[in-house]
Amino acid sequence: MIGLLKDYVKSRLLDNDLMISGTSKEEELREYFRDLFPVATDKKLIRLGGPADGGYLVPDDLDGCVGCFSPGVYNVSDFELGLARRGIPCFLADFSVDAPAIQNDLLDFEKKFLGNENNAKFMTLENWMSRKGPQTGDLILQMDIEGGEYEVLIETNSEYLNRFRIMIIEFHSLDRLLNPIGLKLIGAVFKKITKHFDVVHIHPNNYFKPIEYRDFKVPPIMEFSFLRKDRVSRRAPARRFPHDLDRRNVANRDDVALPNCWFTPE
């Protein structure tokens, strides 16, 4: 959340000698963006949560979902409360707080960070899912864990990830895509996700301005909405950004529009 971003990476591997250069590398970067172009599906997007940070656009395909796992709640639980009001139990986790901001019988809280090991401070997503929540049925994942998302997604078996019908993930340090090693590592995470999920929306967090390099603009932090491919019966390129339901994460900062390199404009 925004309160944890003040000390966010200020030197981001973007020195000129580390930048991607050369025609082949630039084409590799273009292919990466094309693979993530959002699609409009037969499931319209709705907004859950508050009007700023903590509110997200999700596909209107919530009926039948049996639970939501939401690591990184910090001091905002509007999204989870919106699901609870629909009768969907939510499992929250964050070691940095002692309790969620909102109390509800359908909100279960665990004081731990999500990571790639299990101890007094951390737990893996697989461990958490095995202990909490229904063991069958489709789930929702809403994850904002300040850069820890990459190791969690790489370490989690696809069998567990595929239990999620919808995933809302805030990705951090995306400007590292402009570094060859960053492109390879971050690209591997998205390749794993997009094997079974469509990108249905992208929203830049306006806490930082996009990093520009030649024809590319990369907002360092962006929220991605995913829908499992077996839930989609019709898809077409999403061409209009921002969405009418998008809102600034930080109200008093200039908005950041999704750069054209991330989608096919009209």
Side-chain angles (χ1 to χ4, degrees):
M1 296 296 179
I2 293 301
L4 296 178
L5 294 177
K6 293 181 180 179
D7 297 324
Y8 173 70
V9 183
K10 294 182 180 178
S11 57
R12 294 191 289 267
L13 293 182
L14 290 177
D15 296 331
N16 289 334
D17 60 333
L18 293 177
M19 297 285 268
I20 284 179
S21 61
T23 303
S24 62
K25 291 298 183 182
E26 289 188 37
E27 182 56 33
E28 183 180 350
L29 193 56
R30 288 190 181 91
E31 289 180 5
Y32 166 84
F33 286 125
R34 283 195 292 266
D35 287 343
L36 291 180
F37 278 7
V39 296
T41 75
D42 50 306
K43 310 295 193 301
K44 71 175 183 178
L45 297 177
I46 60 174
R47 186 176 183 89
L48 280 181
D53 200 47
Y56 303 95
L57 269 62
V58 302
D60 191 8
D61 191 20
L62 300 172
D63 288 350
C65 288
V66 296
C68 172
F69 283 83
S70 183
V73 296
Y74 190 48
N75 60 1
V76 180
S77 303
D78 295 342
F79 178 85
E80 296 80 8
L81 181 61
L83 291 175
R85 286 172 173 167
R86 291 170 176 255
I88 300 174
C90 297
F91 303 90
L92 290 67
D94 196 325
F95 189 79
S96 70
V97 296
D98 293 324
I102 299 171
Q103 297 298 316
N104 185 286
D105 289 343
L106 290 180
L107 302 186
D108 176 275
F109 177 78
E110 193 155 346
K111 188 176 172 61
K112 283 192 176 184
F113 286 136
L114 209 58
N116 62 359
E117 58 184 343
N118 296 296
N119 52 43
K121 189 175 181 179
F122 288 90
M123 62 182 173
T124 66
L125 181 57
E126 292 184 15
N127 174 276
W128 192 21
M129 292 172 65
S130 297
R131 293 185 294 104
K132 296 288 183 74
Q135 297 303 301
T136 59
D138 283 353
L139 301 166
I140 301 163
L141 175 67
Q142 191 279 304
M143 182 160 61
D144 180 4
I145 54 175
E146 309 304 322
E149 59 273 9
Y150 298 106
E151 64 177 356
V152 167
L153 291 165
I154 284 293
E155 292 292 330
T156 303
N157 190 292
S158 293
E159 177 184 351
Y160 283 83
L161 286 182
N162 291 343
R163 283 212 52 206
F164 296 108
R165 178 188 299 180
I166 296 167
M167 298 197 299
I168 312 298
I169 304 173
E170 183 164 271
F171 287 94
H172 302 75
S173 302
L174 282 169
D175 44 318
R176 291 175 184 254
L177 288 167
L178 300 175
N179 171 277
I181 296 176
L183 178 61
K184 183 176 182 179
L185 295 177
I186 296 175
V189 171
F190 279 104
K191 184 176 182 180
K192 180 177 183 178
I193 294 174
T194 56
K195 182 177 181 180
H196 299 286
F197 291 84
D198 282 324
V199 178
V200 295
H201 190 61
I202 306 176
H203 176 246
N205 186 314
N206 67 328
Y207 191 83
F208 291 108
K209 295 181 179 180
I211 304 301
E212 299 187 23
Y213 175 68
R214 298 193 179 181
D215 296 333
F216 307 103
K217 292 184 180 181
V218 183
I221 307 173
M222 293 203 291
E223 302 158 355
F224 282 72
S225 302
F226 301 96
L227 178 61
R228 206 174 59 220
K229 290 183 176 181
D230 67 313
R231 304 295 302 183
V232 178
S233 60
R234 184 179 69 255
R235 56 177 63 83
R239 299 185 183 276
R240 295 185 61 188
F241 294 88
H243 191 281
D244 290 342
L245 297 177
D246 277 328
R247 300 291 182 268
R248 300 180 188 183
N249 295 77
V250 185
N252 62 354
R253 290 179 182 257
D254 291 339
D255 203 5
V256 174
L258 184 66
N260 287 353
C261 61
W262 291 88
F263 69 105
T264 303
E266 290 182 319

